[in-house]
């Protein structure tokens, strides 16, 4: 394995986590005052000196083989951008909260995102020259991972999915936090529609989402990311509640015609 440089980018803490980083000789702590994951990643990448860039979120835990999987993937000179598997770990393995089995199945389907042309940036790696050509990650008012991935694809870069490249993401603290995430995503999506045709498609999508839980039953019943009848029941109940909420919010935006309130929200805790 080659040398590893770890860059921690603080994104608005009241005080820098110097005591946490100080014991590690290969860790550099820097700060980015502009809020959002995109600006923080841009700052870290600009300070990096290595031959590869690998991004992970502060609340994620890398699998023991995460870096080895990245290094192995890039041993193929044709590989330019990769994304990996993101999994959820319950806070209490024996007693999951209402929303946790849902998150285990649905919240971090990075293999599906990559098939759509982008990777979640909390488990993403690339050669530095790719970032230089595609350009910086976007700010807080857009879904920066999707935006960057689609720009990369437009330039001919295919993001490869590496299943051995695993990071573990904690579930959100509560169902309310999960709803806040959807508020942001819905607002970002609404900001991209335009014209009468866009509004008609938005309405059709809202109706389809309300009817979609039944179609998801096979996934819930067969997913390997949850176990037992109770976890599957919780997952389906949470799924139905979220899908109905999404429809309600989408219809509300269609009537109100504004997404600013949630598009610019960002959890900086």
């Amino acid at each position: 394995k080659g040398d590893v440089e770890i860059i921690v980018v603080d994104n608005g803490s009241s005080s820098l986590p110097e005591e946490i980083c100080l014991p590690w000789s290969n860790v550099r702590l820097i700060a980015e005052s502009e809020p959002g994951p995109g600006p923080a990643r841009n700052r870290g990448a600009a300070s990096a000196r290595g031959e590869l860039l690998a991004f992970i979120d502060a609340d994620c835990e890398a699998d023991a083989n995460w870096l080895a999987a990245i290094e192995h993937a890039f041993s193929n000179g044709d590989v330019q951008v990769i994304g990996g598997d993101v999994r959820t770990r319950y806070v209490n393995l024996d007693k999951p909260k209402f929303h946790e089995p849902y998150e285990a199945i649905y919240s971090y389907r990075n293999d599906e995102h990559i098939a759509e042309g982008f990777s979640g940036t909390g488990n993403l790696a690339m050669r530095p020259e790719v970032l230089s050509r595609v350009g910086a990650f976007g700010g807080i008012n857009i879904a920066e991972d999707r935006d960057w991935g689609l720009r990369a694809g437009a330039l001919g870069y295919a993001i490869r999915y590496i299943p051995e490249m695993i990071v573990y993401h904690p579930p959100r603290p509560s169902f309310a936090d999960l709803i806040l995430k959807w508020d942001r995503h819905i607002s970002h999506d609404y900001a991209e529609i335009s014209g009468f045709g866009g509004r008609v498609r938005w309405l059709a999508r809202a109706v389809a989402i309300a009817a979609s839980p039944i179609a998801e039953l096979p996934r819930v019943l067969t997913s390997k990311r949850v176990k037992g009848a109770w976890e599957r029941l919780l997952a389906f109940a949470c799924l139905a509640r979220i899908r109905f909420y999404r429809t309600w919010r989408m219809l509300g935006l269609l009537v109100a015609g504004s997404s600013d309130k949630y598009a610019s929200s960002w959890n900086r805790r």
Side-chain angles (χ1 to χ4, degrees), residues 15-24 27 29:
S15 61
L16 293 176
E18 295 175 338
E19 293 184 2
I20 296 175
C21 298
L22 189 60
W24 308 95
V27 171
L29 174 61

Side-chain angles (χ1 to χ4, degrees), residues 16 27 35 43 79 87 96 100 104 106 108 114 117 132 144 154 157 178 181 186 213 215 221 241 251 262:
L16 293 176
V27 171
R43 176 72 67 179
V79 174
R87 302 181 185 179
E100 290 181 344
Y106 287 100
Y108 306 106
I114 290 173
S132 296
E144 94 290 341
Y157 292 110
L178 186 58
K181 181 207 81 164
I186 293 167
L221 294 174
R241 188 174 174 185
L251 294 177
Y262 293 103

Side-chain angles (χ1 to χ4, degrees), residues 23 25 45 69 93 105 120 134 140 148 153 165 169-170 204 214 253:
S25 60
L93 295 178
I105 299 175
V134 176
I140 199 171
W148 191 91
M165 179 183 168
H169 196 293
I214 294 301
L253 281 176

Side-chain angles (χ1 to χ4, degrees), residues 25-38:
S25 60
N26 62 337
V27 171
R28 282 196 291 138
L29 174 61
I30 58 179
E32 171 54 56
S33 59
E34 182 180 350

Side-chain angles (χ1 to χ4, degrees), residues 71-193:
E71 190 174 41
H72 177 74
F74 283 113
S75 64
N76 180 345
D78 294 331
V79 174
Q80 300 295 314
V81 191
I82 61 175
D85 189 11
V86 181
R87 302 181 185 179
T88 297
R89 278 181 174 166
Y90 302 157
V91 174
N92 183 339
L93 295 178
D94 298 321
K95 193 176 181 180
K97 296 179 181 179
F98 170 70
H99 65 290
E100 290 181 344
Y102 164 85
E103 287 215 80
I105 299 175
Y106 287 100
S107 284
Y108 306 106
R109 296 176 288 173
N110 210 31
D111 55 339
E112 297 182 17
H113 294 327
I114 290 173
E116 296 168 357
F118 68 96
S119 171
T121 44
N123 192 10
L124 175 70
M126 66 189 71
R127 301 185 191 275
E129 55 268 26
V130 176
L131 185 61
S132 296
R133 186 174 179 214
V134 176
F137 296 105
I140 199 171
N141 291 319
I142 64 171
E144 94 290 341
D145 46 10
R146 182 173 59 188
D147 170 74
W148 191 91
L150 296 180
R151 283 192 281 123
L155 292 177
Y157 292 110
I159 303 175
R160 298 198 185 187
Y161 176 65
I162 309 297
E164 300 82 11
M165 179 183 168
I166 301 169
V167 302
Y168 298 95
H169 196 293
R172 287 167 180 82
S174 67
F175 181 79
D177 289 282
L178 186 58
I179 288 298
L180 181 60
K181 181 207 81 164
W182 276 112
D183 282 332
R184 288 197 301 268
H185 285 322
I186 293 167
S187 294
H188 288 153
D189 289 346
Y190 185 77
E192 295 178 2
I193 72 168

Side-chain angles (χ1 to χ4, degrees), residues 90 93-94 96 101 220 223-232:
Y90 302 157
L93 295 178
D94 298 321
V220 173
S223 175
K224 296 180 179 179
R225 296 195 171 199
V226 294
K227 58 183 180 181
W230 178 242
E231 289 189 17
R232 296 179 195 280

